[in-house]
Amino acid sequence: MGTVIMHNVVSVDGFIADESDDVGPLHDWYFNGDTPIRQGGDQQYDHSGTGSDFMVSRASAEYVRPIWESIGVIVMGRRLFDQVNGWEGRPPAGDHVIVVSHRPRPDGWHPEASYHFVDGVAAAIDKAQELAGERTVAVNAGDVGGQILAAGLVDEVAMDVVPVVLGSGKRYFGSIDGPHPLEDPHVVVQGDGVLHLRFKVRR
């Protein structure tokens, strides 16, 4: 089975967005460089929905590109799905999306899209690993990501740390209780306006 990686951009005080779900300056580093992040040939990643490719520092591109190319499945919560309308049925990376939700797929919403609505984090990871095979399962941070970590289903934690203090907002690890020990970071990459870190979860 592929590695389950919990990932998000995060402020130095541990927030992935403010109380209104605004990411503010957290994504500025996606547009402050001269190196595009591309998926194979000329296909562009478009997490933002703007149609614009990310332009990052070379160090960030060399770090991010292989991670995104390895993703087979994204696992997200219903709140994020509703906010971005599921990226209109086109995952920003990978081939499938698992939405952890007590509610089913919205009626008539992109019936062709490979999106699966699953009630519960354990079932979500089971389904994600089935679909991903040997590829990476990318778990969005926040409340659902925190629940998946607390359930012992996360292999690695990846953080793109931006040098800003938000003071309050949506926490990277949600509202889970700790502690949940991690190993020392095995990846440390300094980009422009961001520090990329990866930690293995201590078993």
Side-chain angles (χ1 to χ4, degrees):
M1 291 183 292
T3 303
V4 178
I5 300 179
M6 181 177 172
H7 173 257
N8 231 90
V9 181
V10 61
S11 67
V12 294
D13 54 343
F15 297 102
I16 59 176
D18 67 16
E19 297 290 358
S20 301
D21 295 305
D22 188 343
V23 298
L26 291 180
H27 288 184
D28 288 355
W29 66 274
Y30 281 128
F31 306 99
N32 71 357
D34 58 6
T35 306
I37 302 172
R38 301 191 182 278
Q39 183 178 22
D42 293 328
Q43 185 175 349
Q44 296 179 331
Y45 290 107
D46 181 18
H47 288 238
S48 62
T50 64
S52 300
D53 196 19
F54 294 143
M55 298 292 289
V56 299
S57 68
R58 180 169 297 278
S60 287
E62 290 176 352
Y63 167 77
V64 172
R65 186 181 296 119
I67 292 177
W68 286 1
E69 288 176 349
S70 75
I71 293 172
V73 179
I74 293 173
V75 178
M76 66 192 306
R78 184 60 180 255
R79 182 184 183 92
L80 178 58
F81 172 86
D82 289 341
Q83 286 171 351
V84 301
N85 196 30
W87 302 294
E88 299 299 337
R90 296 184 299 274
D95 301 316
H96 309 275
V97 173
I98 307 295
V99 182
V100 181
S101 177
H102 299 301
R103 292 175 286 142
R105 178 194 296 251
D107 289 341
W109 183 87
H110 296 286
E112 78 290 348
S114 184
Y115 280 54
H116 309 265
F117 290 72
V118 178
D119 185 0
V121 296
I125 295 300
D126 284 346
K127 183 65 174 178
Q129 290 185 318
E130 173 192 332
L131 292 170
E134 296 300 315
R135 300 180 72 190
T136 298
V137 173
V139 175
N140 285 103
D143 285 329
V144 166
Q147 292 171 32
I148 293 171
L149 176 71
L153 301 173
V154 172
D155 299 311
E156 292 188 24
V157 171
M159 308 176 88
D160 299 322
V161 183
V162 174
V164 63
V165 176
L166 293 186
S168 63
K170 309 299 183 182
R171 296 186 177 278
Y172 182 98
F173 293 102
S175 57
I176 64 169
D177 295 326
H180 296 279
L182 308 177
E183 303 290 350
D184 289 338
H186 64 282
V187 176
V188 180
V189 175
Q190 183 173 340
D192 292 342
V194 63
L195 180 65
H196 307 287
L197 302 172
R198 286 178 67 174
F199 309 82
K200 293 182 180 178
V201 177
R202 187 177 301 170
R203 300 300 188 188

